[in-house]
Amino acid sequence: MSESLHPAAPHHLPSFITAPGDTDTLMVVVGIVLIGSVLAVGNFYLHLHTMPERMAHKSQKLQFEIVAVLGLLALFTHNHLFWVIGLFLAMIDLPDFGTPLRSIAGSVEKIAGLPPGEATAELANDEMAAGGVSQAAAAEARDTTKAGAAKSEVRSHA
């Protein structure tokens, strides 16, 4: 510092007080620490916020998409109930009803003497016929949907 100190000023100044025109190193250090801490807290918040989604993804849950949507809703609406629901869904194993029902349907088709998948094609054809589609179009659709069936020939109108 300069030799001309004010008479009321103390003779020993702390090191963080700078002379006029010098760089304030304390402010630069505090600014860097502030930016770093804001980034660290934001990173921790997002890491904590995506915890239910990561839990559901690791365990290959069926409800992964629902958990992800709930996480986004919680992030954008700041409604923590969505996050809690997503966390509970990520922790709970929902039973798989689809696989046993497909197995039952396949067994019933075997008992009926139909090749697998033909019953659903017949259901679709019955729905088309009930919807006003002509019988010829329904028969043509039935021919094209049968597994292993040859393509139907186009009949001439002559």
Side-chain angles (χ1 to χ4, degrees):
M1 302 241 344
S2 67
E3 303 276 336
S4 61
L5 286 176
H6 191 274
H11 295 291
H12 177 67
L13 293 176
S15 62
F16 60 85
I17 295 180
T18 59
D22 286 347
T23 303
D24 191 0
T25 54
L26 179 65
M27 186 182 75
V28 171
V29 169
V30 167
I32 291 171
V33 168
L34 179 67
I35 290 172
S37 63
V38 166
L39 290 175
V41 168
N43 192 14
F44 174 72
Y45 174 74
L46 288 177
H47 187 74
L48 181 67
H49 186 77
T50 59
M51 186 177 64
E53 188 175 350
R54 285 183 284 117
M55 287 173 56
H57 184 69
K58 281 182 186 175
S59 60
Q60 301 292 324
K61 304 264 188 202
L62 295 174
Q63 64 269 25
F64 171 70
E65 289 86 11
I66 298 170
V67 172
V69 168
L70 285 171
L72 283 175
L73 280 172
L75 179 67
F76 292 125
T77 61
H78 300 290
N79 191 350
H80 302 299
L81 183 63
F82 291 133
W83 188 84
V84 171
I85 292 170
L87 183 64
F88 285 147
L89 274 177
M91 288 182 187
I92 295 172
D93 283 331
L94 293 179
D96 180 23
F97 294 114
T99 304
L101 289 177
R102 278 191 288 275
S103 174
I104 292 169
S107 299
V108 170
E109 286 176 352
K110 274 187 198 176
I111 291 171
L114 299 174
E118 188 173 323
T120 57
E122 287 180 6
L123 267 174
N125 290 334
D126 290 344
E127 288 175 5
M128 285 192 325
V133 178
S134 67
Q135 289 293 337
E140 184 177 276
R142 183 173 31 248
D143 288 341
T144 58
T145 56
K146 284 186 180 178
K151 289 191 172 190
S152 63
E153 296 180 14
V154 178
R155 298 181 185 130
S156 66
H157 296 289

